[in-house]
Amino acid sequence: MTPAASTLPIDTFLPYMRDVVRCEQSLHELHLMWRMIESSAKMNCPLEARSILPTMAATRAGFKRLEQELVASLVGEKVANVLDAIGTKAQYVIDIVVRNLYERTADVGFLARDRELCAFVAGLQDDAGRIRERLCAYRSKYTVYDEIVLLDLQGNVLVHVNEYAPIEGSVDPLVAQTLATDGFVETFRASDLRPGQTQALIYSRRILHPDTGAVVGLLCLSFDFAAELAGIFRSHRDPEGRANMLLLDADNRVIASADPDWIPLGVQVPVNPSGEPRLRVHGGREYLVRTLAAEGYQGYQGPAGWQGQVMIPVDLAFSAGNRQPLEDLEPALASGLLSHASSFSPPLYEIMRATETIRRVVWNGQVVSAGQDGGHLKLKSILEQISETGARSNELFSQSISDLYETVLESNLHNAESVAHLLVDLLDRNLYERANDCRWWALTPELRAALATAPGEPVPDMKPILDYINQLYTVYSRLFVYDCDGRILASSHPEQPGLPGDSVVGQHLDAETLGAVLQLRSEQSYHVTPFEGSLLSGGVPSYTYHAAIRDPAQSGRVLGGIGICFDAERELAAMLHGSLGQQSGVTAFYIDRQARILSSTDAARPVGSRLDIDADLLALKTGDSVARIMVHDGHYAILGCSAGQGYREFKVSDGYAEEVLALVFTPLGEVRERSSALHPALAGALTEAATEGGREYATFFAGDSLLALDASHVLEALPASELTPMSVGGHPCRIGMLLPHGEALASQFVWVFDLGRLLHGQASTIHSSSQVIIVRHAGQTLGLLIDELHGVPEFSERQIQPLPLGRAAEDARLVRRLIRADNGRVLIQLLEVEPLLQALLNRPAVAAEALPVEVLPID
């Protein structure tokens, strides 16, 4: 949202926006030009110019307003674009961290209840080597930890896994705090548990005696904070290095920096949690800053006061990006997209309207002066000044339009690509945890012992263990254990209507999955089912992660396995919706390489259906992201697409490959069936089409047809926005009424007809360039809705030739002659005014015979 002009220090930002400065200069030049032209017309030809003086005065006043307000709007929009972009990145920093740390809170709670660890800390068994081996097995799966420590009530270290940082005990206050707390304790600072580190993030929980429930010690998990943040910054920071991503504590001190040589750890930085468009000064340099707190995940808000922040120096904030989206678009697509400027960029729309106003004033003046002598020659001279000066200014003006258009599109493209990248990153990070969970839970001593029960002996009830795990890890719809024959022995949430006994217990795993699990080489290996519905997922498409459960006495012997059903329907949808925030109309998808939808925010495209996208996107390289402008569901849209690259060893070096793409579609407006691809080329050619004497013809576009009317029958052109729609029957092309501005007709409404529909059979779409030209002949007056004004050039008789068709029904034809303009390279269809008025006012519509514009090759 553009900051309010009243709160925005325009002069602060303007020196850093070269394109806006050019626009301001252009507006100022146009304002001065209008003052000069208006004064000259009043002094030299007041009578002849009376029909256009009101419009000139209104235009001058409009440019004065634009000069004051438009620049402020442009500055505000560019500042808002930057703040939105860096705000999105700041939110990513804190949200990714919080989602990761939420998993750590679950880990420490579960591991602190591990019966073998509890028995060891309680002194019921003393095999420290075996316990260290078990903790190392845990760390080899959950590679986010750089240290795991077991301590007794006095803080003495019983076992730890990091052999490169020997520790014997701790006097850290977290020991006493953890022993006194029924829950996890989160500590971030220097600690003697991590010697040599200036800061450590430690999750601790007390350990209870397995029989009495008495507190006997504590478990500490040290999160590899520095490596994790380095990975986040590497993946999501500005590739051009213009901005710095930071993680701050509650005192606004830097606890992680994407570029510590630029903004080091420990310094206190200015923040901007409200997102106001004001500069902050740090280290003698001015910055735009956005500061965001965590949105929270599953009720967890992260460490108290932590914030994500991005800072970008103001002198770099508005430098052009690498993309030039307009150059990559087909002219018809660019034109159609630009027609929606009023909705996605009001300042851009204001510039376009101002350009149309200039064109209409010149066109009207040329019509008034057509075929006149005396004072009208003076008016012609004034109009030539308008045209010449306007052409020079319009070059700057057009560049301003282009620059702003590029800015708006670049901002949208960058945002869509960033969101898509975040989505695949979140997915890989989430599924990394699932691969860890299944492998670790397969090592649960109670589960291994249960499956090792001798034949004929009753198998211990494993359901309480599975229920406990599922209560802690709510991202799963079901956990189940099966034997080497694939028979399910126990399950959390075993209910399954339609099955014998309404339970999955006693059912069998499919042979393919069972075979894959039995072939797993080691406890580091796992198997994931394809994304599809199954008996165990309740028919809902999902991933199920499996790991082999091995004999506690013979680790090479597989006794069965554990399966954990990821609640993909809920969890993937939460990722998509959470990343889109409150963006209206935006849709997002997870798809596989075959374009099959895994999750969708679009109700019309359910899971399992296929998304129609370009083949090159499906072939996007792992880790790459792209954004482009395209047509999607009948709308111009910006597409962001990113291919997942895995996380840590997951999908990178662990042998598992399941490539997922994330796509984000941001709509920019409905597709409009109007192409102005030929208009710019013709505009330049025909402004020089006047020859030695002749008659003036008013030229204009209806669709892609360049048409002409004898200027003597044309009174003026008015913006189509003044049209009053009205449907009271009559001619099918009649669309409303309009009150002309000319003095002779100032109190008379005229009917307006859709010329495009008359000629081409399709109703015209009214857009910013649409005009109504007032035509009068033999006492009859009407308005014609057209798409765009062109000019009022002179053509000699020798340039006008009969239409090379038969003479049958010649009187009924609206176009009987063609004008060969620009040395014959362009053909203009000359409308006959009398048949035109008869067709619209006196009898049913004439059959269309208009020809398309033809641009002949240049010899």
Side-chain angles (χ1 to χ4, degrees):
M1 181 178 296
T2 303
S6 59
T7 64
L8 189 69
I10 303 299
D11 292 340
T12 298
F13 295 105
L14 193 57
Y16 303 103
M17 303 177 181
R18 294 187 295 273
D19 52 343
V20 181
V21 170
R22 287 196 299 268
C23 181
E24 182 185 42
Q25 293 170 343
S26 178
L27 289 170
H28 186 63
E29 182 179 348
L30 287 169
H31 180 211
L32 294 178
M33 179 192 75
W34 280 113
R35 290 183 61 182
M36 179 192 70
I37 298 299
E38 185 182 7
S39 298
S40 179
K42 286 179 178 178
M43 289 187 296
N44 296 319
C45 50
L47 295 178
E48 296 78 3
R50 66 182 182 275
S51 63
I52 64 170
L53 281 174
T55 305
M56 292 173 64
T59 303
R60 176 177 53 80
F63 274 105
K64 183 176 182 180
R65 177 184 60 81
L66 283 175
E67 191 175 1
Q68 296 170 347
E69 298 179 7
L70 180 57
V71 170
S73 296
L74 298 179
V75 172
E77 179 146 327
K78 292 175 80 70
V79 171
N81 283 342
V82 172
L83 288 174
D84 286 347
I86 64 175
T88 298
K89 292 290 190 180
Q91 192 71 67
Y92 290 176
V93 172
I94 187 63
D95 284 349
I96 292 173
V97 168
V98 167
R99 281 173 174 265
N100 195 317
L101 298 188
Y102 167 77
E103 300 283 352
R104 313 294 63 92
T105 66
D107 287 351
V108 73
F110 179 74
L111 191 58
R113 293 283 298 270
D114 184 273
R115 188 169 182 84
E116 283 201 34
L117 302 186
C118 292
F120 173 75
V121 176
L124 300 181
Q125 63 103 340
D126 59 0
D127 190 346
R130 177 182 172 186
I131 295 302
R132 186 176 186 279
E133 182 180 336
R134 181 162 177 74
L135 293 181
C136 287
Y138 186 87
R139 192 181 67 165
S140 68
K141 296 165 181 61
Y142 297 86
T143 56
V144 294
Y145 298 114
D146 56 14
E147 175 69 290
I148 304 175
V149 187
L150 292 175
L151 301 100
D152 64 16
L153 295 175
Q154 290 72 43
N156 297 310
V157 173
L158 302 176
V159 173
H160 76 105
V161 300
N162 193 328
E163 59 187 13
Y164 300 104
I167 50 175
E168 296 182 357
S170 175
V171 294
D172 194 306
L174 75 82
V175 173
Q177 181 185 1
T178 302
L179 295 174
T181 301
D182 185 16
F184 73 88
V185 173
E186 193 172 49
T187 305
F188 182 73
R189 50 173 166 74
S191 171
D192 57 9
L193 289 168
R194 298 297 291 127
Q197 292 192 4
T198 57
Q199 54 189 18
L201 180 56
I202 299 173
Y203 288 83
S204 55
R205 185 150 184 167
R206 65 190 187 184
I207 292 178
L208 306 181
H209 194 288
D211 298 326
T212 67
V215 178
V216 293
L218 68 152
L219 165 73
C220 295
L221 300 178
S222 175
F223 181 63
D224 193 358
F225 178 77
E228 175 65 16
L229 268 294
I232 293 173
F233 293 147
R234 185 168 53 250
S235 180
H236 293 281
R237 72 168 300 186
D238 176 15
E240 297 177 355
R242 298 180 305 156
N244 200 2
M245 301 179 76
L246 308 170
L247 186 65
L248 310 181
D249 65 13
D251 297 322
N252 303 328
R253 293 191 181 277
V254 177
I255 54 179
S257 172
D259 189 344
D261 292 333
W262 180 359
I263 301 179
L265 302 183
V267 302
Q268 196 169 41
V269 293
V271 297
N272 184 20
S274 64
E276 61 181 0
R278 303 285 173 179
L279 294 179
R280 269 52 176 183
V281 177
H282 174 70
R285 197 173 186 183
E286 292 180 309
Y287 291 85
L288 277 169
V289 177
R290 281 304 310 271
T291 314
L292 278 300
E295 293 185 350
Y297 181 67
Q298 304 282 4
Y300 172 68
Q301 293 297 318
W306 280 22
Q307 309 157 89
Q309 176 157 305
V310 175
M311 302 173 65
I312 184 168
V314 66
D315 55 310
L316 301 178
F318 308 105
S319 56
N322 291 327
R323 294 189 184 95
Q324 293 181 307
L326 287 180
E327 292 186 2
D328 298 331
L329 293 183
E330 295 180 359
L333 182 59
S335 174
L337 185 57
L338 192 59
S339 69
H340 289 284
S342 59
S343 61
F344 74 87
S345 178
L348 176 57
Y349 183 63
E350 286 293 320
I351 294 180
M352 294 167 59
R353 288 183 58 188
T355 303
E356 292 300 327
T357 300
I358 296 175
R359 183 180 302 178
R360 186 171 59 252
V361 169
V362 175
W363 197 88
N364 282 341
Q366 291 172 333
V367 165
V368 169
S369 62
Q372 303 292 329
D373 297 321
H376 283 85
L377 291 177
K378 297 179 181 179
L379 178 59
K380 281 189 175 182
S381 177
I382 290 173
L383 292 171
E384 288 174 1
Q385 294 177 34
I386 295 176
S387 297
E388 292 173 4
T389 308
R392 291 194 301 269
S393 298
N394 205 50
E395 184 178 351
L396 288 174
F397 217 42
S398 297
Q399 186 60 49
S400 298
I401 293 175
S402 179
D403 287 347
L404 179 57
Y405 197 17
E406 297 273 6
T407 297
V408 171
L409 294 178
E410 171 70 19
S411 176
N412 280 273
L413 288 164
H414 179 77
N415 185 63
E417 186 175 330
S418 295
V419 173
H421 185 195
L422 172 68
L423 284 172
V424 290
D425 193 17
L426 289 178
L427 179 65
D428 285 339
R429 289 168 174 272
N430 192 306
L431 298 185
Y432 158 84
E433 303 289 347
R434 314 297 61 97
N436 297 341
D437 290 347
C438 74
R439 291 179 296 168
W440 175 247
W441 296 335
L443 298 180
T444 303
E446 293 87 346
L447 300 182
R448 299 177 71 178
L451 287 187
T453 302
E457 295 292 325
V459 177
D461 186 8
M462 294 175 280
K463 185 177 185 300
I465 298 174
L466 301 179
D467 285 340
Y468 171 71
I469 298 174
N470 214 163
Q471 289 171 5
L472 283 177
Y473 295 82
T474 57
V475 298
Y476 301 110
S477 58
R478 172 178 287 131
L479 286 71
F480 56 94
V481 172
Y482 48 92
D483 61 21
C484 61
D485 294 322
R487 182 172 179 270
I488 297 174
L489 305 177
S491 172
S492 64
H493 307 302
E495 309 82 13
Q496 190 82 320
L499 294 177
D502 291 334
S503 172
V504 299
V505 176
Q507 303 299 313
H508 282 77
L509 203 63
D510 66 275
E512 182 178 354
T513 300
L514 178 62
V517 174
L518 295 178
Q519 294 297 318
L520 292 176
R521 297 188 304 274
S522 70
E523 66 179 38
Q524 285 296 98
S525 304
Y526 63 95
H527 172 72
V528 188
T529 62
F531 190 87
E532 58 188 25
S534 68
L535 165 77
L536 293 163
S537 68
V540 179
S542 182
Y543 298 112
T544 300
Y545 288 74
H546 294 262
I549 297 178
R550 301 173 185 274
D551 192 323
Q554 304 176 48
S555 60
R557 180 183 172 217
V558 176
L559 302 175
I562 184 171
I564 56 179
C565 295
F566 180 55
D567 192 353
E569 183 176 34
R570 182 185 67 183
E571 296 300 320
L572 297 187
M575 292 181 210
L576 294 179
H577 286 286
S579 297
L580 296 184
Q582 303 301 315
Q583 300 180 69
S584 177
V586 181
T587 55
F589 303 86
Y590 283 123
I591 66 172
D592 62 19
R593 289 288 188 180
Q594 289 71 49
R596 185 175 54 131
I597 295 175
L598 311 182
S599 186
S600 165
T601 64
D602 184 351
R605 292 182 169 88
V607 173
S609 61
R610 296 194 179 275
L611 188 64
D612 183 16
I613 63 169
D614 294 340
D616 66 311
L617 293 176
L618 294 176
L620 192 65
K621 290 183 179 180
T622 299
D624 282 359
S625 301
V626 297
R628 64 180 57 164
I629 299 167
M630 61 181 299
V631 174
H632 176 69
D633 285 347
H635 285 71
Y636 303 110
I638 286 180
L639 164 67
C641 180
S642 187
Q645 62 181 347
Y647 172 65
R648 291 183 176 264
E649 68 279 359
F650 178 68
K651 293 186 181 180
V652 176
S653 60
D654 64 358
Y656 174 55
E658 171 70 5
E659 296 186 347
V660 175
L661 306 175
L663 296 96
V664 178
F665 291 94
T666 304
L668 299 175
E670 292 183 351
V671 172
R672 291 176 173 167
E673 297 298 330
R674 173 177 180 260
S675 170
S676 59
L678 294 175
H679 298 190
L682 293 176
L686 297 185
T687 50
E688 301 175 358
T691 60
E692 70 291 344
R695 296 181 63 85
E696 285 98 342
Y697 290 88
T699 57
F700 49 87
F701 291 96
D704 285 335
S705 295
L706 180 58
L707 305 166
L709 270 171
D710 192 318
S712 63
H713 301 303
V714 178
L715 301 181
E716 63 180 331
L718 299 171
S721 58
E722 296 187 9
L723 173 68
T724 301
M726 188 174 299
S727 178
V728 292
H731 198 288
C733 295
R734 191 165 68 186
I735 57 175
M737 302 186 74
L738 183 143
L739 183 65
H741 293 180
E743 293 181 4
L745 299 170
S747 61
Q748 301 178 24
F749 280 92
V750 299
W751 287 111
V752 177
F753 297 84
D754 184 348
L755 182 60
R757 180 172 179 179
L758 177 68
L759 297 177
H760 307 124
Q762 286 188 325
S764 300
T765 300
I766 296 179
H767 45 78
S768 60
S769 298
S770 298
Q771 309 287 331
V772 174
I773 57 175
I774 307 301
V775 179
R776 191 172 192 182
H777 174 70
Q780 294 180 305
T781 308
L782 54 74
L784 298 175
L785 174 66
I786 57 101
D787 282 309
E788 189 174 345
L789 297 171
H790 180 254
V792 189
E794 290 183 4
F795 297 108
S796 66
E797 286 298 324
R798 68 179 182 82
Q799 293 178 276
I800 302 174
Q801 299 179 357
L803 193 67
L805 298 174
R807 300 180 60 84
E810 183 175 350
D811 292 341
R813 287 204 303 268
L814 303 181
V815 178
R816 304 175 191 169
R817 296 176 292 172
L818 297 175
I819 301 174
R820 296 179 64 85
D822 198 33
N823 296 319
R825 287 176 292 184
V826 176
L827 300 180
I828 308 171
Q829 302 167 63
L830 179 55
L831 288 172
E832 303 295 337
V833 68
E834 186 170 346
L836 178 64
L837 267 64
Q838 288 179 355
L840 295 174
L841 297 178
N842 300 328
R843 63 189 188 202
V846 177
E849 290 192 21
L851 301 176
V853 176
E854 181 181 1
V855 181
L856 303 180
I858 300 175
D859 296 331

